[in-house]
Amino acid sequence: MPYSEENDKKYRQELEKEIARLKKEKNAIILAHNYQREEIQDIADIVGDSLQLARAATKVDADIIEFCGVRFMAESASILNPDKKVLLPVKEAGCPLADMISPEKLKALKAQHPDAACVCYVNSSAEVKAESDVACTSSNAIEVVRSLPNKRIIFVPDENLAKYVQSQVPEKEIIMWKGFCPTHIRLSEEEVIQAKKEHPKALFLAHPECKPEVLKLADQVCSTGGMFKYARASKAKEFIIGTESGMLYRLKKENPDKNFYLPSEHLVCANMKLTTLGWIAHSLELEVNEIRVPEEIRVKAKKSLDRMLEITYGK
Ligand code: 13P
């Protein structure tokens, strides 16, 4: 089929039909992160931030969870749902931030600070979660850190989020790790200042993985889920969005009377964008790229995730 916009649309419709058929036949559900491509968000049963998706994974009634996101997210779904088959459409969809700390390095850090509790950002491997006392996401990191009795807290692997939490919870001493998100780190102070000049009435919403000098310019620091809530509730009509580009699609769709701007063209997570309709159909059809965690690690990692869910949502 030669390329044309019309053929592309036809191909997309065929894939959507095929995915709907496979979902029904296999009793599958599609979860998608807010950074996914527009066409993926359109076919997903649930679209959300890391916390909303982890919570959704504990509640779904399906045999297969097709997880459109990156590996650590699918891994969390599998840790919480050992009886379900969790599929990642593209097995290479990883998270460079999650790869910035290993369980061995975390063990060595813990040995240096035996009095400290250990909090891991969900953007981490199952092995790192298994070594941690509790997990957190960008939407509950402050709450999780505050809930711990220890004065000293090891926080891995995102340094910018750790610094942000430290600024909000000064009574704790946070021991940080030098991990970073290669997408959020690219957003510069200059780009935000320029965007504010171009849109003087816009509020700037920033994800806490951004650099501290960028967060200083923010009207609100929040998770991707928090940005939807904030934009919906705010009286403002214009927003500069300091996170991955995939956010703009639903923000515009849910708020047709408001305008949203990206302050940089570099805010694209290549790993999130690996997922396509074609790969979803492929992995559902063949049930390939199953994400499974060895039982010994899964049980320990589940404790960290369960504790996080309990702190946030109660029993
Ligand atoms: P959220 O928890 O805000 O969805 O963030 C996920 C993430 O990986 C940010 O890079």
Side-chain angles (χ1 to χ4, degrees):
M1 207 161 39
Y3 179 79
S4 70
E5 241 173 63
E6 201 180 321
N7 281 344
D8 201 42
K9 204 166 142 196
K10 243 192 258 165
Y11 182 55
R12 176 174 164 172
Q13 284 166 350
E14 276 169 26
L15 281 171
E16 284 172 353
K17 257 196 226 152
E18 179 65 1
I19 291 168
R21 183 188 69 76
L22 288 164
K23 262 179 61 181
K24 203 164 164 199
E25 183 189 309
K26 301 190 179 225
N27 189 27
I29 187 163
I30 299 183
L31 304 189
H33 188 266
N34 291 324
Y35 295 160
Q36 288 288 294
R37 292 171 185 274
E38 302 176 7
E39 63 271 28
I40 312 289
Q41 297 191 29
D42 280 346
I43 59 141
D45 297 285
I46 301 172
V47 184
D49 69 9
S50 308
L51 181 64
Q52 291 161 339
L53 295 176
R55 164 106 157 146
T58 64
K59 306 233 170 280
V60 297
D61 178 25
D63 297 318
I64 294 180
I65 299 175
E66 180 79 17
F67 208 114
C68 303
V70 291
R71 175 171 291 264
F72 77 81
M73 296 178 177
E75 226 175 46
S76 294
S78 176
I79 289 166
L80 293 164
N81 274 297
D83 302 336
K84 297 191 166 74
K85 196 177 247 188
V86 178
L87 305 176
L88 186 65
V90 181
K91 70 174 186 313
E92 291 79 12
C95 171
L97 166 60
D99 295 337
M100 286 179 194
I101 184 145
S102 64
E104 292 74 28
K105 285 179 180 159
L106 179 55
K107 271 186 206 163
L109 187 65
K110 280 168 59 179
Q112 281 172 35
H113 305 282
D115 59 317
C118 180
V119 178
C120 69
Y121 190 29
V122 277
N123 300 43
S124 57
S125 66
E127 288 80 359
V128 165
K129 288 186 179 80
E131 277 301 318
S132 302
D133 296 304
V134 56
C136 74
T137 73
S138 58
S139 65
N140 61 12
I142 294 170
E143 196 184 355
V144 166
V145 166
R146 270 204 191 117
S147 76
L148 298 168
N150 311 53
K151 160 101 178 131
R152 284 155 48 81
I153 314 279
I154 293 172
F155 191 105
V156 295
D158 191 88
E159 190 183 22
N160 289 334
L161 177 60
K163 284 184 179 167
Y164 176 65
V165 173
Q166 179 71 86
S167 73
Q168 302 301 303
V169 194
E171 66 274 21
K172 302 281 186 191
E173 185 190 324
I174 306 216
I175 300 149
M176 306 184 192
W177 186 257
K178 287 203 171 302
F180 60 90
C181 162
T183 304
H184 286 94
I185 205 96
R186 281 188 223 139
L187 179 59
S188 71
E189 209 181 346
E190 293 73 27
E191 283 172 318
V192 177
I193 292 169
Q194 181 58 30
K196 284 185 162 212
K197 257 190 215 153
E198 285 166 24
H199 310 287
K201 288 193 182 143
L203 296 182
F204 174 45
L205 311 185
H207 195 278
E209 288 176 18
C210 293
K211 293 185 277 203
E213 57 267 37
V214 167
L215 295 185
K216 258 195 213 147
L217 300 170
D219 294 288
Q220 183 71 19
V221 176
C222 47
S223 70
T224 60
M227 289 185 190
F228 285 105
K229 262 194 226 149
Y230 191 92
R232 206 177 300 134
S234 172
K235 286 199 173 74
K237 293 280 182 211
E238 294 180 87
F239 302 86
I240 298 162
I241 300 299
T243 191
E244 212 272 345
S245 59
M247 289 288 292
L248 266 71
Y249 176 59
R250 194 150 65 90
L251 279 169
K252 285 181 183 163
K253 203 163 139 184
E254 289 183 0
N255 303 279
D257 58 329
K258 299 184 179 181
N259 288 317
F260 300 90
Y261 314 107
L262 263 193
S264 164
E265 60 185 19
H266 302 299
L267 287 168
V268 180
C269 171
N271 284 286
M272 282 283 178
K273 301 304 191 239
L274 287 173
T275 307
T276 60
L277 291 176
W279 285 122
I280 295 174
H282 172 260
S283 76
L284 263 181
E285 167 94 62
L286 302 176
E287 296 184 27
V288 287
N289 305 337
E290 184 178 357
I291 302 296
R292 212 163 254 292
V293 175
E295 190 59 11
E296 200 192 315
I297 293 165
R298 187 193 72 79
V299 171
K300 288 190 195 159
K302 186 172 183 294
K303 278 194 190 151
S304 294
L305 287 168
D306 282 344
R307 194 165 171 194
M308 168 187 85
L309 292 171
E310 210 178 295
I311 292 166
T312 317
Y313 297 107
K315 279 254 177 206

